[in-house]
Amino acid sequence: MKAKSRNYYLIPYVLWIALFVITPIVLVVYYSFFNIEGEFSLENYQKFFTPVYLKMTLSSFWYAFLITFFTLLIAYPTAYLLTKTKHKQLWLLLIIVPSWINLLLKAYAFIGIFGTYGAANKFLEVMGVGGKQILFTDFSFVFVSVYIFLPFMILPIFNALDELNPSFIDASKDLGASSWRTFSRVVFPLTLDGVKSGCQIVFIPALSLFMLTRLIAGNRVITLGTAIEQHFLVTQDWGMGATIAVFLIIFMVVIMLLTGRRKRGEMR
């Protein structure tokens, strides 16, 4: 009876997965086999391996790597300091709250900050540097992306650090290890799963960014997400847009498998 009741509880979950995960993926794969004239063809897959799309793919990976790297560089020490503070849950909440604000609103806020007459240029003028072109640059794109993804990197790292048994650190220090050696040999390896989860959460969405490439980078940065948007909404080449989406899904699955391998091995 218990087994049957459990099966009934699985029905909503299975329906949700079938309707909102499997069906969209099947449709994307289906449309990828049709060219712009609506004819069944492998033309889109051949076109993806041309220099234009391969360069775009490398560019997407490069910017996703930069965003993930700088996010991790800021998030890890921030999460570590949070675990040492008195009201750590309150501070964590204050960091997470900005992530609830609509992405479009945050993008427009940074347009005002980085604009010609924005706060950033005003500060540079006060410092005697003079006004600079900050908006519509690679710097502004990476900076805003890091700001947006930062809470999502901090949270899993904070959880991993917070669950770390302090006796391991005490044992390391008792054995004469320096602070750096304790961190590199004890703290970081034991929180690596949190780091990997944070990198997954940041790197995968960063591959498909498209709104920020328009509003913040001024189309100077072209990613796979930008190309998908262009093909679906501008050129109306749904087949090519679906083909890029297929490869994007493949890349995401590969990244998840690579970053989750160690954890599965430990479970065995």
Side-chain angles (χ1 to χ4, degrees):
M1 292 295 291
K2 289 183 178 180
K4 288 183 178 180
S5 62
R6 287 174 186 171
N7 292 334
Y8 288 133
Y9 290 131
L10 284 173
I11 291 174
Y13 174 77
V14 172
L15 287 174
W16 178 273
I17 295 296
L19 290 174
F20 299 105
V21 177
I22 297 174
T23 302
I25 291 174
V26 170
L27 287 173
V28 167
V29 174
Y30 172 77
Y31 278 112
S32 70
F33 289 104
F34 291 89
N35 59 22
I36 195 168
E37 286 83 18
E39 300 170 347
F40 185 85
S41 170
L42 296 175
E43 178 185 337
N44 296 324
Y45 287 90
Q46 294 172 348
K47 195 185 296 183
F48 184 84
F49 289 99
T50 58
V52 174
Y53 288 99
L54 290 177
K55 185 179 179 182
M56 190 184 302
T57 303
L58 290 175
S59 177
S60 297
F61 272 88
W62 172 244
Y63 282 109
F65 168 77
L66 286 179
I67 292 166
T68 306
F69 174 75
F70 287 116
T71 306
L72 177 60
L73 202 63
I74 298 169
Y76 201 101
T78 303
Y80 185 81
L81 289 173
L82 280 175
T83 58
K84 304 299 180 182
T85 56
K86 187 177 180 181
H87 304 288
K88 54 187 177 183
Q89 296 297 337
L90 176 61
W91 286 109
L92 183 65
L93 179 63
L94 292 175
I95 290 173
I96 294 173
V97 163
S99 65
W100 300 345
I101 301 172
N102 185 272
L103 178 62
L104 188 61
L105 293 178
K106 287 189 281 191
Y108 277 112
F110 274 103
I111 290 174
I113 293 170
F114 287 153
T116 306
Y117 304 103
N121 268 313
K122 292 292 184 183
F123 176 75
L124 291 177
E125 288 174 3
V126 170
M127 296 299 292
V129 178
K132 300 290 181 181
Q133 177 62 42
I134 304 175
L135 195 62
F136 306 141
T137 61
D138 291 359
F139 166 79
S140 62
F141 171 69
V142 174
F143 184 94
V144 175
S145 300
V146 168
Y147 167 79
I148 288 170
F149 286 121
L150 193 58
F152 303 104
M153 180 72 82
I154 289 175
L155 190 57
I157 296 175
F158 172 85
N159 289 334
L161 287 166
D162 199 40
E163 293 173 0
L164 183 63
N165 193 335
S167 62
F168 293 140
I169 300 172
D170 295 335
S172 177
K173 291 179 178 179
D174 290 341
L175 291 170
S178 63
S179 298
W180 170 250
R181 198 170 183 81
T182 299
F183 172 77
S184 60
R185 294 296 184 91
V186 179
V187 177
F188 188 76
L190 291 175
T191 57
L192 192 58
D193 285 338
V195 172
K196 288 160 65 175
S197 296
C199 289
Q200 276 186 3
I201 295 169
V202 173
F203 190 89
I204 291 174
L207 272 178
S208 56
L209 281 174
F210 68 92
M211 185 188 299
L212 296 182
T213 58
R214 286 183 175 278
L215 298 177
I216 304 297
N219 280 338
R220 281 175 51 87
V221 176
I222 304 297
T223 64
L224 294 174
T226 310
I228 292 171
E229 183 202 22
Q230 285 283 332
H231 283 303
F232 272 99
L233 301 181
V234 180
T235 65
Q236 297 294 307
D237 189 356
W238 287 22
M240 193 62 218
T243 303
I244 300 171
V246 168
F247 281 101
L248 195 58
I249 293 169
I250 293 171
F251 295 148
M252 292 176 179
V253 171
V254 170
I255 291 165
M256 291 179 69
L257 290 175
L258 290 175
T259 54
R261 184 178 299 170
R262 180 171 175 266
K263 190 172 182 180
R264 289 198 303 272
E266 290 174 351
M267 288 175 69
R268 289 176 185 174

